[in-house]
Amino acid sequence: MRLAFPVLLVTLAFCCYEANAEPCPSVVSTLNSYITDTVEDFKENILQYGAPPEDIRAKLVVKRCVTQMSTSEISALEGFLSGVLLACNS
């Protein structure tokens, strides 16, 4: 679970983007892709934001780690991120 803390920080930093604290739809989409998509599909998702190549490479390294996680670890990560998004909505 060493990955959970950095994911939490990034999620909290980018999650709530308006005064009403609704999660940004692109953040929700990217987080969903981060957990459920293949590395190639995730890359397509993040390329649309025009990030520098070194940032994309770094995100893909982390995505490969997520891809290697067990089903129970991925399920725990999904629950954790869902809780963060729910907190942004309340």
Side-chain angles (χ1 to χ4, degrees):
M1 277 300 173
R2 290 177 279 174
L3 183 63
F5 187 67
V7 170
L8 169 66
L9 293 179
V10 170
T11 303
L12 289 175
F14 294 109
C15 179
C16 305
Y17 77 109
E18 293 181 350
N20 64 6
E22 281 186 29
C24 174
S26 62
V27 170
V28 174
S29 171
T30 301
L31 285 174
N32 210 16
S33 177
Y34 175 72
I35 294 172
T36 60
D37 286 351
T38 64
V39 173
E40 293 78 23
D41 290 341
F42 178 68
K43 182 177 180 181
E44 289 299 316
N45 185 304
I46 61 174
L47 281 174
Q48 67 183 334
Y49 301 112
E54 60 273 10
D55 291 352
I56 291 173
R57 282 192 300 275
K59 288 177 186 274
L60 293 176
V61 166
V62 175
K63 172 58 181 162
R64 287 185 188 96
C65 291
V66 171
T67 303
Q68 295 174 4
M69 293 171 82
S70 70
T71 305
S72 63
E73 291 173 325
I74 289 175
S75 184
L77 183 58
E78 285 175 333
F80 174 75
L81 293 175
S82 294
V84 171
L85 291 174
L86 286 173
C88 286
N89 278 330
S90 59

